[in-house]
């Protein structure tokens, strides 16, 4: 029902009395319902919706749900979540680091780019692909500029990037 609760260009007008029920669904026990809820919330305006998105951006939420919520919050000007992620990425390792990198990439927030570039430059040989992907997926002007700079940078760095791009292409094929 959540998937089909809104049709038309003006989601706020169409939603009407279902608004409160949709917002309550952001805390539903089933993740598939929360996923459909976050997808619909991206079409609805209001601070109450931003509060629901913040719930869906919680660290224990599934990746797909959290990614949509983080991106939407950043686009709505609620950049506090990105600030927290930027603080966490400096010390994170393993799967936690991967999760944070993914969230920073989908946020589209240009503040994430210097941190991702810094981590890329400091990483060991063969481990930089994840940072390059995150920079490319960030979608901000700062990300595009950073990628150009990386590829125009020092010969050693450019060779490393090219090798990682080849590995990425081969793994996709």
């Amino acid at each position: 029902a959540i998937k089909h609760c809104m049709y038309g260009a003006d989601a706020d007008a169409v939603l009407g009395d279902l608004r409160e029920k949709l917002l309550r669904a952001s805390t539903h026990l089933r993740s598939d319902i929360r996923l459909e809820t976050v997808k619909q919330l991206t079409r609805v305006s209001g601070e109450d919706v931003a509060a629901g998105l913040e719930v869906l951006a919680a660290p224990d939420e599934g990746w797909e749900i959290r990614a949509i919520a983080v991106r939407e919050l950043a686009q709505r000007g609620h950049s506090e979540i990105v600030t927290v992620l930027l603080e966490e990425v400096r010390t994170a390792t393993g799967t936690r680091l991967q999760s944070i990198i993914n969230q920073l990439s989908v946020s589209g927030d240009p503040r994430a780019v210097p941190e991702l570039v810094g981590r890329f430059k400091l990483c060991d040989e063969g481990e930089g692909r994840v940072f390059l992907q995150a920079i490319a997926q960030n979608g901000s002007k700062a990300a595009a500029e950073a990628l150009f700079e990386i590829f125009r940078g020092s010969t050693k760095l450019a060779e490393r990037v090219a090798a990682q791009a080849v590995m990425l292409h081969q793994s996709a094929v």
Side-chain angles (χ1 to χ4, degrees), residues 7-12 14 43:
Y7 285 105
D10 188 0
D12 289 311
V14 172
R43 301 183 60 217

Side-chain angles (χ1 to χ4, degrees), residues 6-169:
M6 292 186 290
Y7 285 105
D10 188 0
D12 289 311
V14 172
L15 192 56
D17 294 338
L18 295 176
R19 183 183 190 91
E20 184 59 35
K21 291 180 181 179
L22 180 62
L23 290 169
R24 276 199 315 258
S26 66
T27 60
H28 198 279
L29 293 176
R30 289 181 37 198
S31 64
D32 59 323
I33 291 176
R34 291 191 312 275
L35 177 60
E36 292 305 322
T37 300
V38 75
K39 287 177 183 179
Q40 294 301 325
L41 289 176
T42 63
R43 301 183 60 217
V44 182
S45 63
E47 285 302 310
D48 55 342
V49 174
L53 290 167
E54 288 173 3
V55 169
L56 293 165
D60 58 342
E61 189 58 79
W63 148 244
E64 190 173 15
I65 296 167
R66 188 168 189 197
I68 294 169
V70 167
R71 182 189 69 228
E72 192 63 23
L73 284 167
Q75 289 177 348
R76 291 173 185 234
H78 294 265
S79 60
E80 301 85 10
I81 185 76
V82 176
T83 302
V84 170
L85 292 170
L86 287 169
E87 291 171 4
E88 291 178 9
V89 76
R90 294 182 182 114
T91 58
T93 59
T95 55
R96 180 76 182 131
L97 175 61
Q98 181 65 44
S99 175
I100 293 170
I101 291 169
N102 288 335
Q103 292 167 60
L104 287 172
S105 71
V106 299
S107 75
D109 193 310
R111 296 177 299 152
V113 175
E115 190 66 39
L116 294 169
V117 170
R119 292 294 295 252
F120 170 75
K121 289 180 177 179
L122 294 175
C123 70
D124 293 332
E125 187 87 19
E127 294 179 4
R129 178 173 54 187
V130 68
F131 298 105
L132 282 178
Q133 288 173 326
I135 296 166
Q137 291 170 348
N138 182 272
S140 66
K141 182 180 177 186
E145 291 170 351
L147 287 173
F148 281 123
E149 192 60 38
I150 288 170
F151 282 100
R152 284 191 305 216
S154 72
T155 305
K156 182 179 177 184
L157 185 59
E159 288 172 359
R160 188 170 127 202
V161 169
Q164 290 177 352
V166 169
M167 288 178 9
L168 176 63
H169 176 70

